[in-house]
Short mmCIF file of all heavy atoms in Angstrom, two decimals:
data_model
loop_
_atom_site.label_atom_id
_atom_site.label_comp_id
_atom_site.label_asym_id
_atom_site.label_seq_id
_atom_site.Cartn_x
_atom_site.Cartn_y
_atom_site.Cartn_z
N THR A 164 35.59 1.57 19.21
CA THR A 164 36.48 0.94 18.21
C THR A 164 35.62 0.35 17.06
O THR A 164 34.70 -0.37 17.33
CB THR A 164 37.28 -0.20 18.85
OG1 THR A 164 37.69 0.15 20.16
CG2 THR A 164 38.45 -0.61 17.96
N GLY A 165 36.04 0.62 15.82
CA GLY A 165 35.37 0.00 14.70
C GLY A 165 34.05 0.62 14.31
O GLY A 165 33.48 0.22 13.26
N VAL A 166 33.51 1.50 15.12
CA VAL A 166 32.20 2.07 14.80
C VAL A 166 32.26 2.98 13.58
O VAL A 166 31.36 2.88 12.77
CB VAL A 166 31.58 2.82 16.03
CG1 VAL A 166 30.26 3.50 15.71
CG2 VAL A 166 31.36 1.78 17.17
N PRO A 167 33.29 3.83 13.40
CA PRO A 167 33.38 4.61 12.17
C PRO A 167 33.42 3.68 10.90
O PRO A 167 32.78 4.00 9.92
CB PRO A 167 34.69 5.38 12.30
CG PRO A 167 34.93 5.46 13.77
CD PRO A 167 34.37 4.19 14.35
N GLU A 168 34.14 2.58 11.03
CA GLU A 168 34.20 1.62 9.92
C GLU A 168 32.88 1.01 9.62
O GLU A 168 32.48 0.82 8.48
CB GLU A 168 35.24 0.52 10.17
CG GLU A 168 36.70 0.99 10.19
CD GLU A 168 37.16 1.74 11.45
OE1 GLU A 168 36.37 1.79 12.41
OE2 GLU A 168 38.29 2.24 11.46
N LEU A 169 32.14 0.72 10.70
CA LEU A 169 30.78 0.17 10.52
C LEU A 169 29.92 1.17 9.79
O LEU A 169 29.16 0.79 8.84
CB LEU A 169 30.16 -0.14 11.89
CG LEU A 169 28.70 -0.57 11.91
CD1 LEU A 169 28.44 -1.82 11.07
CD2 LEU A 169 28.23 -0.83 13.37
N LEU A 170 30.00 2.45 10.13
CA LEU A 170 29.22 3.49 9.46
C LEU A 170 29.59 3.61 8.03
O LEU A 170 28.73 3.81 7.16
CB LEU A 170 29.34 4.81 10.23
CG LEU A 170 28.68 4.79 11.67
CD1 LEU A 170 29.09 6.06 12.40
CD2 LEU A 170 27.17 4.70 11.53
N GLU A 171 30.92 3.52 7.77
CA GLU A 171 31.34 3.60 6.37
C GLU A 171 30.83 2.42 5.56
O GLU A 171 30.48 2.54 4.37
CB GLU A 171 32.87 3.70 6.29
CG GLU A 171 33.29 5.14 6.44
CD GLU A 171 34.81 5.29 6.24
OE1 GLU A 171 35.37 4.68 5.36
OE2 GLU A 171 35.39 6.07 7.04
N THR A 172 30.79 1.29 6.23
CA THR A 172 30.28 0.09 5.56
C THR A 172 28.82 0.29 5.16
O THR A 172 28.36 -0.09 4.11
CB THR A 172 30.39 -1.13 6.56
OG1 THR A 172 31.77 -1.31 6.83
CG2 THR A 172 29.91 -2.41 5.86
N ILE A 173 28.07 0.94 6.05
CA ILE A 173 26.67 1.24 5.78
C ILE A 173 26.57 2.14 4.54
O ILE A 173 25.72 1.89 3.62
CB ILE A 173 25.99 1.90 6.98
CG1 ILE A 173 25.85 0.95 8.15
CG2 ILE A 173 24.61 2.44 6.56
CD1 ILE A 173 25.42 1.61 9.48
N LEU A 174 27.44 3.12 4.45
CA LEU A 174 27.43 4.03 3.30
C LEU A 174 27.73 3.31 2.00
O LEU A 174 27.06 3.53 0.97
CB LEU A 174 28.42 5.19 3.47
CG LEU A 174 28.21 6.24 4.58
CD1 LEU A 174 29.19 7.33 4.45
CD2 LEU A 174 26.74 6.79 4.49
N VAL A 175 28.73 2.44 2.04
CA VAL A 175 29.13 1.70 0.83
C VAL A 175 27.99 0.79 0.42
O VAL A 175 27.59 0.77 -0.74
CB VAL A 175 30.42 0.85 1.11
CG1 VAL A 175 30.72 -0.05 -0.07
CG2 VAL A 175 31.59 1.77 1.38
N LEU A 176 27.43 0.06 1.37
CA LEU A 176 26.33 -0.83 1.06
C LEU A 176 25.15 -0.06 0.48
O LEU A 176 24.47 -0.49 -0.46
CB LEU A 176 25.91 -1.62 2.33
CG LEU A 176 24.84 -2.65 2.20
CD1 LEU A 176 25.28 -3.74 1.26
CD2 LEU A 176 24.42 -3.24 3.55
N SER A 177 24.88 1.12 1.05
CA SER A 177 23.73 1.95 0.60
C SER A 177 23.96 2.41 -0.83
O SER A 177 23.05 2.46 -1.62
CB SER A 177 23.56 3.14 1.49
OG SER A 177 23.35 2.70 2.81
#
Side-chain angles (χ1 to χ4, degrees):
T164 320
V166 176
E168 289 79 5
L169 172 59
L170 292 169
E171 274 185 42
T172 303
I173 293 170
L174 293 187
V175 172
L176 184 62
S177 302

